[in-house]
Amino acid sequence: MDYLSSPSTLDGVIARPRLLTALAPEKILQIRLLCAPAGFGKTVLARQFSELDSIFRVLRISLPSNQPLTSALIMTQISAALGLPETEDHRLCEDLLEALDACSNALIILDDYRPSADTDDWLLDFIQQSSSQWLITARHKPKWPLGRLLLEGQLIELNSEDLELTVPELTSILALMSPEESFCAKSLYDQTNGWVAGVRLFLYAQTSHQSHTQTNLHRSPYLLDYLDQEVLGLMPLSDRHLLNVIAHAPFIDSAICSVISGEKFSLQQLIARQSFLRTLPGSTNRFTVYEPLRSVLRERYPDAKKALIGVLDWLDLSEQSLTLFSYAIRVSDTTRAVKALSKVALNQLFAENNLSLILSGLNELEVDDFTHQPKALIVATRSLIMAGNLELAECYLSTLPNQQQWIGSKLAIQAELALHRGQAQEACHLSSQALIELNKNKDWTQMILCFSCMTRAQLALGQYEQAQRHQMQGLELARLKGKMLLECQLLLDQVQVEELAGHLHRALQVLDKLKVLIGQSGGSTLLSGSERIRHGWLLMLTGDDDGARLPLEQGQELSMASGTPVFFYSYILLAQIDARNGNHEQAQQRLAEVQRALYARGVSEPIYRSVLIVGKASVELLAQQYQPVMNILERLWQKYNDPTSLTPPSSTPELFALMSFLHAQALTSQGSLDKAIQVLTQVLEKAEGFGFQVIVSQALMALGKARHQRGDIRQAERMLASATVMAIRQGQGQILLEGHSNSAIAFNENPKTKVLPTTITASTETLLSPREHVVLELIAKGHSNAEIAEILSISLHTVKAHAKRINAKFQVNSRALAVARAKTLGLLM
């Protein structure tokens, strides 16, 4: 039975290809472990996996829950499944191993295993003595050396986070089950947090026409009954009380949990029991209760305020300011919350998932709550800018006192506001003033952030060299002062600098360094999300759309969890990948989703509007919707093609070029070649003036294609040859693929013949250097050495040297034989 192709239903149950593939059915493994709390579909998944391959001889063993679990009980169950006669206990183990060895490709499903000190070691030893494959479902982990088993390739483990239903899976489920159209997949995910049992209970309520569960799933009698039986009913009263308190807390860690419960290892015990505790996004040591259980516990036990208030003094004494802020907000102590926020260092905004915690707290506060707390105002305003809420940030900033000690901070924040609003020149001016004031107070954090702001502002203005200089100054200051997280931010700026200079491989290397540094600094949801999205974009530039999809999806999830609007870039880029693969409907759906998300989060339009418009135009162009693209881009062109107009968003300084490429492509499709060439010439001149070499090569390639189509063969050949050499040197695989597949380019007179992407790939990976390949293609066109030298702007001696090396590599002694040999090898068409 093929579950791996697409989502499907069997007996009313959804098959999930993602998980079935993750269990590696093609591999022979000793242990596949599904470890998650109740209600994650472990049993169903195990059954579906067993039905993937008819070669398996499946032994399904459901261990009884009403009997103590012992090795003897497990052996008896296996013996019964094998149909063996009853035998003495001391011989049973040997008989079972012998019978299992006789089974060809046996898969033993051990369902609802309950780990214990008495059975864990015995079971692992028994599994390793047998020749069978085992699939074990359990609510918490057995005490096995899981790390060693993973390294040795004996184990695959899927936990609760793996087994959660994703939004795309929920979309498929709703489409297959056809519930009432008024409920969407995202809303269902928000209520259930991907909990399989919650989703199934919701669908059951839908078929039973119990519409009240749509708005309050946690009040559904079905859900309450399930939790009573499967979760709360199996827990000791002490644990249940502790869960009640945790459900009202913003989050807990080991120290907080021990303060609340009075027991040092209470958190570890809860985690060991798999009691629906979840790791807070972006953290490794902060936990919260699984969302459906949180809603139920809050409903049943509303009075947990006393226990939370008891934690506030301890948090204050231990100087955990950010945690104190979150707890004070939860118990509505706004005065204490604002005072705690004033003690939060700005660099902490980049750590773990702190920005999201601050933003959620600010939702409960008003500007008036910050009276006489300028430090808290600075942190709050910075947070709001990072979240894209520029209007509220300006409102907060206006209340900051105009005293000398706050002037530097105020100027620095005003600079960041100006940059996000598309006023890069003003941002540079304000940053310069801020640096002078901040240096007086030795406010290193704000100074480093100012250098980052200036770098991005100067890139938006096309001042590449100045941007590079300020980026290096900021990076040196961050390293000198030990501000590791701010160093990560400056490395992100460096990636953008390297990318625009055409050093794509160097940019990817900086991202690798950045990823390590984020881990060493304790982790950051915000920085990790930006790193993943930028990594995906660079992979797209190198021509690896398939490789780009995963980091873009990871970046989308991380940046949405962090509270920043950076996630909209991943939506747009994924939509472009979908459109390139012909999935235009999925692409349009992504663009609609991101627009709703941006609106719901209150992100200011200057941050994303123009980029979203260009993304939509790109998708529509791939769908051959030329006239709508023309209308969109001509309006946007007027907005950015005036010296007094707004500058591009700081994350997309190349917006003008991207917009122009799409405009030229739309013009070309309508036969307006002269106008397209005019647009592209303007892009080329501007990119050369800015020093954006990555845009120069793209503009040369596009111009070459347009001129070739107009019949300017000699100029087209020169441009395309230069663009190809630059793109290969830069690592821009995407424009090579487009240039060699979308049109007849310089090396092919016949417009019906296309140079395949493998032409470049094969030559660079196996035989010829990139420059030798270009020379060979020009030789194949019949150009003389002197003409090739003129086209490539190199000396005649260099051309002869290239030709000599080509002959030597092909082991021939003439140009004609070299061309024939290259065609035989598939290096030329």
Side-chain angles (χ1 to χ4, degrees), residues 203-274:
L203 293 174
Y204 179 79
Q206 286 286 318
T207 58
S208 302
H209 305 292
Q210 305 218 6
S211 59
H212 64 275
T213 60
Q214 289 190 12
T215 53
N216 292 298
L217 180 65
H218 66 278
R219 295 183 182 177
S220 164
Y222 306 122
L223 179 64
L224 296 176
D225 179 68
Y226 185 86
L227 288 173
D228 280 340
Q229 297 297 321
E230 298 292 337
V231 182
L232 302 178
L234 299 176
M235 297 182 67
L237 289 176
S238 58
D239 286 356
R240 219 182 303 175
H241 168 71
L242 191 55
L243 276 186
N244 165 36
V245 178
I246 294 171
H248 289 80
F251 57 85
I252 52 98
D253 56 22
S254 293
I256 295 174
C257 203
S258 64
V259 169
I260 294 172
S261 66
E263 297 180 12
K264 188 173 182 180
F265 300 106
S266 53
L267 178 63
Q268 287 85 336
Q269 292 167 2
L270 280 171
I271 294 172
R273 294 193 183 102
Q274 290 285 306

Side-chain angles (χ1 to χ4, degrees), residues 685-736:
E685 291 172 353
K686 202 166 186 176
E688 288 175 334
F690 286 177
F692 291 175
Q693 295 303 312
V694 71
I695 305 298
V696 170
S697 57
Q698 293 171 359
L700 277 172
M701 180 66 77
L703 257 176
K705 289 161 62 178
R707 286 191 176 278
H708 190 281
Q709 193 167 341
R710 194 174 68 172
D712 304 335
I713 304 301
R714 177 58 63 89
Q715 286 180 309
E717 286 179 345
R718 184 189 293 255
M719 287 180 171
L720 288 164
S722 298
T724 300
V725 171
M726 286 185 70
I728 292 172
R729 185 173 65 245
Q730 294 171 359
Q732 279 206 79
Q734 187 58 48
I735 66 168
L736 290 173

Side-chain angles (χ1 to χ4, degrees), residues 439-489:
N439 190 46
K440 295 176 184 176
N441 300 328
K442 308 302 179 188
D443 191 341
W444 310 121
T445 299
Q446 290 274 27
M447 286 183 70
I448 294 165
L449 291 173
C450 260
F451 278 120
S452 175
C453 179
M454 288 186 76
T455 299
R456 289 174 282 124
Q458 285 164 341
L459 286 177
L461 291 168
Q463 299 169 356
Y464 177 81
E465 292 182 358
Q466 297 94 316
Q468 188 179 38
R469 184 172 67 251
H470 282 113
Q471 186 272 326
M472 288 305 301
Q473 286 179 305
L475 189 60
E476 288 172 6
L477 183 60
R479 287 171 175 168
L480 182 65
K481 301 302 177 182
K483 306 288 186 180
M484 191 178 291
L485 285 166
L486 299 183
E487 180 183 345
C488 292
Q489 176 60 49

Side-chain angles (χ1 to χ4, degrees), residues 93-107:
C93 185
E94 294 180 5
D95 290 346
L96 286 178
L97 288 172
E98 186 177 339
L100 290 173
D101 288 341
C103 292
S104 176
N105 202 20
L107 175 67

Side-chain angles (χ1 to χ4, degrees), residues 58-79:
V58 180
L59 302 177
R60 291 191 184 87
I61 301 164
S62 296
L63 296 171
S65 58
N66 57 353
Q67 299 180 39
L69 193 61
T70 63
S71 57
L73 177 62
I74 295 174
M75 285 191 291
T76 301
Q77 294 288 325
I78 297 173
S79 177

Side-chain angles (χ1 to χ4, degrees), residues 615-636:
K616 284 183 175 180
S618 175
V619 169
E620 290 186 356
L621 199 60
L622 288 165
Q624 300 182 346
Q625 302 292 323
Y626 300 117
Q627 192 56 49
V629 171
M630 289 285 292
N631 297 337
I632 291 172
L633 292 176
E634 283 176 359
R635 289 197 299 270
L636 198 60

Side-chain angles (χ1 to χ4, degrees), residues 175-473:
L176 289 165
M177 304 299 289
S178 299
E180 293 183 12
E181 296 181 0
S182 59
F183 208 93
C184 72
K186 186 65 172 63
S187 300
L188 182 54
Y189 180 82
D190 290 340
Q191 288 201 45
T192 62
N193 215 218
W195 183 34
V196 177
V199 173
R200 294 188 69 183
L201 289 167
F202 163 76
L203 293 174
Y204 179 79
Q206 286 286 318
T207 58
S208 302
H209 305 292
Q210 305 218 6
S211 59
H212 64 275
T213 60
Q214 289 190 12
T215 53
N216 292 298
L217 180 65
H218 66 278
R219 295 183 182 177
S220 164
Y222 306 122
L223 179 64
L224 296 176
D225 179 68
Y226 185 86
L227 288 173
D228 280 340
Q229 297 297 321
E230 298 292 337
V231 182
L232 302 178
L234 299 176
M235 297 182 67
L237 289 176
S238 58
D239 286 356
R240 219 182 303 175
H241 168 71
L242 191 55
L243 276 186
N244 165 36
V245 178
I246 294 171
H248 289 80
F251 57 85
I252 52 98
D253 56 22
S254 293
I256 295 174
C257 203
S258 64
V259 169
I260 294 172
S261 66
E263 297 180 12
K264 188 173 182 180
F265 300 106
S266 53
L267 178 63
Q268 287 85 336
Q269 292 167 2
L270 280 171
I271 294 172
R273 294 193 183 102
Q274 290 285 306
S275 302
F276 283 76
L277 281 187
R278 314 289 287 168
T279 307
L280 201 69
S283 177
T284 56
N285 59 359
R286 294 174 181 170
F287 297 85
T288 184
V289 180
Y290 190 67
E291 204 58 39
L293 183 60
R294 174 191 290 274
S295 301
V296 172
L297 289 171
R298 281 179 174 175
E299 189 87 9
R300 292 185 182 182
Y301 311 108
D303 187 17
K305 193 172 182 178
K306 184 177 180 182
L308 298 184
I309 290 174
V311 181
L312 296 182
D313 291 334
W314 177 80
L315 289 171
D316 203 356
L317 289 171
S318 60
E319 297 183 345
Q320 297 187 46
S321 301
L322 189 57
T323 306
L324 176 58
F325 169 76
S326 298
Y327 270 75
I329 289 291
R330 191 55 56 92
V331 298
S332 303
D333 189 344
T334 56
T335 302
R336 199 163 190 174
V338 174
K339 187 177 180 181
L341 191 61
S342 68
K343 298 178 182 178
V344 175
L346 277 179
N347 57 299
Q348 285 186 264
L349 296 179
F350 295 86
E352 295 188 318
N353 205 24
N354 292 344
L355 177 62
S356 179
L357 292 173
I358 291 174
L359 292 171
S360 63
L362 291 178
N363 289 334
E364 308 299 323
L365 297 173
E366 301 291 340
V367 179
D368 293 341
D369 295 324
F370 288 83
T371 306
H372 309 305
Q373 290 291 349
K375 287 186 177 180
L377 265 175
I378 290 170
V379 174
T381 308
R382 278 278 183 188
S383 301
L384 290 167
I385 293 174
M386 293 165 74
N389 195 331
L390 304 186
E391 291 75 18
L392 188 56
E394 187 171 32
C395 181
Y396 271 64
L397 184 61
S398 65
T399 63
L400 191 66
N402 288 319
Q403 299 170 3
Q404 182 62 39
Q405 66 186 111
W406 309 118
I407 288 177
S409 297
K410 194 166 188 175
L411 287 168
I413 295 172
Q414 285 174 337
E416 198 74 41
L417 269 170
L419 177 60
H420 281 80
R421 284 186 167 144
Q423 301 162 347
Q425 193 67 57
E426 178 70 5
C428 287
H429 174 67
L430 290 168
S431 293
S432 299
Q433 290 183 307
L435 284 171
I436 296 171
E437 296 296 331
L438 293 168
N439 190 46
K440 295 176 184 176
N441 300 328
K442 308 302 179 188
D443 191 341
W444 310 121
T445 299
Q446 290 274 27
M447 286 183 70
I448 294 165
L449 291 173
C450 260
F451 278 120
S452 175
C453 179
M454 288 186 76
T455 299
R456 289 174 282 124
Q458 285 164 341
L459 286 177
L461 291 168
Q463 299 169 356
Y464 177 81
E465 292 182 358
Q466 297 94 316
Q468 188 179 38
R469 184 172 67 251
H470 282 113
Q471 186 272 326
M472 288 305 301
Q473 286 179 305

